[in-house]
């Protein structure tokens, strides 16, 4: 029954529009048209969506003439996962390699859809990866993906707006954050301290993890824990509902123009940012370039070091690939080589490394961005990554992401509260998990 869990999710989302995918087991023909690939090279098909991945693939193909990687954007995050699930169910059209975020790996591991990369020597890359990231791609003695980037979080704030409101140091606790929100509102009634999108699943779950209110438990097998109605979860919901009700947090959709306009006008004076956020934000604002600084995300208790991870990707080899060895060579190089990271950490891709030779380097830590002036923002995110721990993602995340937006839309509209949405979502996820054959441990 559990083996069908992801497939049922995908069926609910429809199965049309599948990309052609690669031809497993193929090689580049003598009259090959693949740019930069030599005749006879082993073709590895790759689904990925992140900016700059095409540049990394080009570099790999240039330096590995016996392998030809063909990149196809099959849609970002849930869109890709649904197409991949449908292709696995149909046993047709799957790629050799897929970009999969950390939170989604258990959903594909539970259906035995990913290749255990230990047989291809992936453990030789372990010492160069952040420990929390390696934990996220491992299950038992198996390793089912190669870590690429990280999404640990920090408070990214507009220093000029904070200073104008008399805030001279960044808040270190969520209580101080709320107090500072009131100061900003008192100075300017149209100003909020940040933007909080209730419909952004990954954003909210990362903040819940950092708040000590992560709602899931899962260590493999057939039992999952789901708890959106516990004490810590209710406290988290009440905290953000209070800021929303006071109009001290806006609720624009993440990555929308309204959100960027809010940051650039001062209407939202900070961003709860993933490590990969500043590069993309720099290209989305214009008036406040140079004004943004990074500080540790506030904590529930002074001196605590809890962290959350928003996104971050891995590359996995999909079960059934007839070129698994070549695919494994590619994914290990992609996430674990200096050459790949020269491109991934650049201004186009803007990825933040789980690759420790770069993460720990002085050149990386002391680098600057126009949006942050001469401040060394990478140091703040690196400290957060050093304090990170892997979340226990359940193997029902495709369904969770699909359901979340509609369930939490009322919070954005003001027709329901965060706590009400949590209660509804608890019932929906418990019912779904049980329907897929899981034993569910429900929090109280």
């Amino acid at each position: 029954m559990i083996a069908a869990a992801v497939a049922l999710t995908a069926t609910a989302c429809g199965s049309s529009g599948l990309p052609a995918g690669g031809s497993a087991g193929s090689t580049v023909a003598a009259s090959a048209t693949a740019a930069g690939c030599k005749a006879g090279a082993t073709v590895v098909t790759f689904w990925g969506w992140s900016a700059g991945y095409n540049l990394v693939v080009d570099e790999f193909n240039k330096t590995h003439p016996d392998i030809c990687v063909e990149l196809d954007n099959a849609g970002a995050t849930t869109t890709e996962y649904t197409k991949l699930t449908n292709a696995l169910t149909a046993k047709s059209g799957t790629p050799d390699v897929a970009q999969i975020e950390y939170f989604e790996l258990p959903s594909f591991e539970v259906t035995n859809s990913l290749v255990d990369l230990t047989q291809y020597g992936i453990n030789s890359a372990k010492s160069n990866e952040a420990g929390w990231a390696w934990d996220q791609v491992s299950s038992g003695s198996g390793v089912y993906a190669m870590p690429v980037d990280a999404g640990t979080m920090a408070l990214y704030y507009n220093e000029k707006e904070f200073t104008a409101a008399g805030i001279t140091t960044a808040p270190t606790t969520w209580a101080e954050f709320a107090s500072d929100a009131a100061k900003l509102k008192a100075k300017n009634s149209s100003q909020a301290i940040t933007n909080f999108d209730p419909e952004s699943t990954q954003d909210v779950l990362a903040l819940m993890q950092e708040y000590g209110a992560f709602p899931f438990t899962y260590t493999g097998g057939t039992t999952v824990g789901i708890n959106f109605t516990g004490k810590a979860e209710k406290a988290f919901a009440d905290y953000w509902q209070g800021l929303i009700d006071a109009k001290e947090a806006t609720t624009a959709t993440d990555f929308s123009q309204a959100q960027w306009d809010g940051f650039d006008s001062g209407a939202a004076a900070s961003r709860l940012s993933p490590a990969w956020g500043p590069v993309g934000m720099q290209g989305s604002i214009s008036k406040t370039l140079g004004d943004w600084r990074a500080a540790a995300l506030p904590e529930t208790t002074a001196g605590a070091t809890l962290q959350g991870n928003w996104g971050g990707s891995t590359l996995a080899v999909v079960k059934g690939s007839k070129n698994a060895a070549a695919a494994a060579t590619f994914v290990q190089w992609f996430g674990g080589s200096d050459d790949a990271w020269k491109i991934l950490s650049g201004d186009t891709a803007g990825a933040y490394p789980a690759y420790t030779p770069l993460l720990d380097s002085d050149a990386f830590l002391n680098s600057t961005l126009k949006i942050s002036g001469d401040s060394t923002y990478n140091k703040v995110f690196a400290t957060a990554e050093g304090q990170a721990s892997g979340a226990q993602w359940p193997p029902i995340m495709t369904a969770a992401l699909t359901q979340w937006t509609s369930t939490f839309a009322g919070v954005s509209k003001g027709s329901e509260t965060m706590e009400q949405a949590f209660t509804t979502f608890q019932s929906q996820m418990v019912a779904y998990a049980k329907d897929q054959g899981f034993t569910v441990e429900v929090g109280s």
Side-chain angles (χ1 to χ4, degrees), residues 3-381:
V6 177
L8 288 174
T9 302
T11 300
C13 299
S15 58
S16 62
L18 283 173
S23 175
S26 63
T27 59
V28 177
S31 58
T33 56
C37 291
K38 77 171 187 179
T42 300
V43 172
V44 170
T45 54
F46 170 30
W47 285 3
W49 68 82
S50 291
Y53 274 23
N54 59 316
L55 303 177
V56 189
V57 167
D58 288 346
E59 178 65 18
F60 179 85
N61 286 339
K62 185 170 66 177
T63 55
H64 296 74
D66 292 333
I67 301 173
C68 177
V69 177
E70 296 181 346
L71 175 63
D72 182 16
N73 186 343
T77 191
T78 308
T79 300
E80 188 213 77
Y81 306 144
T82 300
K83 290 179 179 178
L84 180 59
T85 301
N86 286 338
L88 286 163
T89 302
K91 296 182 169 59
S92 176
T94 55
D96 296 301
V97 174
Q99 179 182 356
I100 299 176
E101 291 155 293
Y102 296 100
F103 68 80
E104 190 70 14
L105 285 172
S107 295
F108 287 103
E109 291 171 11
V110 78
T111 53
N112 298 311
S113 300
L114 305 179
V115 173
D116 180 0
L117 298 175
T118 59
Q119 63 191 298
Y120 299 110
I122 195 76
N123 278 324
S124 65
K126 180 178 180 180
S127 62
N128 283 336
E129 299 297 324
W132 69 270
W134 199 261
D135 289 344
Q136 294 279 272
V137 301
S138 304
S139 180
S141 61
V143 178
Y144 295 93
M146 180 68 191
V148 182
D149 64 322
T152 43
M153 300 180 71
L155 178 66
Y156 204 51
Y157 64 98
N158 185 320
E159 187 177 44
K160 287 185 177 178
E161 295 293 343
F162 270 37
T163 300
I167 304 168
T168 55
T169 58
T172 59
T173 67
W174 288 113
E176 290 179 5
F177 185 80
S179 177
D180 288 345
K183 292 178 183 176
L184 286 158
K185 180 64 68 179
K187 178 185 73 73
N188 181 349
S189 61
S190 64
Q191 191 168 41
I193 193 168
T194 194
N195 185 71
F196 176 83
D197 177 7
E199 300 175 46
S200 176
T201 320
Q202 296 188 51
D203 184 354
V204 175
L205 288 175
L207 290 170
M208 291 179 75
Q209 182 186 9
E210 196 268 353
Y211 199 86
F214 193 66
F216 297 116
T217 56
Y218 182 68
T219 57
T222 59
T223 299
V224 298
I226 304 173
N227 184 10
F228 281 86
T229 55
K231 183 178 179 180
E233 290 74 20
K234 287 182 178 178
F236 176 88
D238 289 345
Y239 180 86
W240 284 103
Q241 190 62 53
L243 292 181
I244 293 170
D245 289 344
K247 299 189 184 305
E248 292 172 349
T250 56
T251 57
T253 302
D254 277 335
F255 311 110
S256 66
Q257 190 58 50
Q259 183 202 39
W260 299 129
D261 289 347
F263 290 143
D264 214 14
S265 68
S270 72
R271 183 186 187 195
L272 308 173
S273 177
W276 44 264
V279 171
M281 184 174 173
Q282 179 174 259
S284 301
I285 65 172
S286 59
K287 300 175 184 175
T288 56
L289 291 173
D291 297 342
W292 295 82
R293 301 291 181 268
L297 210 60
E299 298 280 352
T300 53
T301 304
T305 56
L306 289 176
Q307 298 297 335
N309 191 66
W310 178 359
S313 287
T314 74
L315 297 192
V317 178
V318 180
K319 189 69 74 70
S321 168
K322 294 182 179 177
N323 293 322
T329 297
F330 168 63
V331 303
Q332 184 169 339
W333 177 89
F334 193 102
S337 73
D338 291 346
D339 289 343
W341 272 105
K342 285 179 183 176
I343 303 169
L344 287 168
S345 62
D347 289 347
T348 299
Y352 201 86
Y355 180 60
T356 54
L358 177 61
L359 183 65
D360 297 337
S361 72
D362 289 339
F364 177 75
L365 294 173
N366 291 318
S367 63
T368 60
L369 273 179
K370 186 176 181 181
I371 186 174
S372 283
D374 59 359
S375 67
T376 51
Y377 73 104
N378 274 338
K379 290 181 178 177
V380 177
F381 287 104

